[in-house]
Amino acid sequence: VQLQASGGGLAQAGGSLRLSCAASGTFFSILNMGWFRQAPGKERELVATSSSGGNTVLADAVKGRFTISLDNAENTVHLQMDVLKPEDTAVYYCHVNLLVKFYSAPSDHWGQGTQVTVSS
């Protein structure tokens, strides 16, 4: 399983960025897909995740500003980040929980990470 992320970069406070992550390789089905982030000196934390059925979970810190969507046909998750704040600065990691085979236990896979920097 490979996760290819795109987007991210530098934005000013109040601006927007969009992250996308595509899962490829051989697997049976995606259970959920989303984004975590890790700021310097802090632990990795959940940003947002979506199940294949469309159920979403967003961290309190991003509710009302970020939107997550999962395209099941493309095995791609998008994170639209609006009204960005300097505290959103972090390395963002794509995450997927999936079944490699229909009989497999769910497994977690991570992308390489993409930097998001928000200037004040």
Side-chain angles (χ1 to χ4, degrees):
V1 178
Q2 295 83 42
L3 297 176
Q4 182 64 51
S6 60
L10 178 64
Q12 290 188 335
S16 299
L17 288 172
R18 181 177 175 88
L19 301 180
S20 296
C21 179
S24 62
T26 303
F27 51 87
F28 178 69
S29 69
I30 289 175
L31 300 178
N32 57 73
M33 200 166 178
W35 294 90
F36 287 69
R37 68 187 181 186
Q38 187 167 18
K42 295 188 177 181
E43 294 187 353
R44 190 173 297 188
E45 62 179 5
L46 171 71
V47 178
T49 187
S50 175
S51 73
S52 59
N55 294 316
T56 60
V57 175
L58 284 89
D60 288 343
V62 306
K63 284 180 180 176
R65 302 188 297 120
F66 291 10
T67 304
I68 188 167
S69 59
L70 176 55
D71 184 335
N72 289 305
E74 298 292 331
N75 294 325
T76 299
V77 67
H78 304 286
L79 183 68
Q80 179 64 40
M81 304 185 292
D82 297 318
V83 195
L84 284 162
K85 302 177 180 180
E87 50 263 44
D88 294 319
T89 296
V91 177
Y92 283 68
Y93 294 92
C94 179
H95 167 266
V96 65
N97 181 253
L98 54 75
L99 301 176
V100 175
K101 303 286 188 182
F102 72 91
Y103 51 81
S104 301
S107 58
D108 294 306
H109 304 265
W110 294 90
Q112 294 277 40
T114 185
Q115 178 70 44
V116 170
T117 302
V118 183
S119 62
S120 57

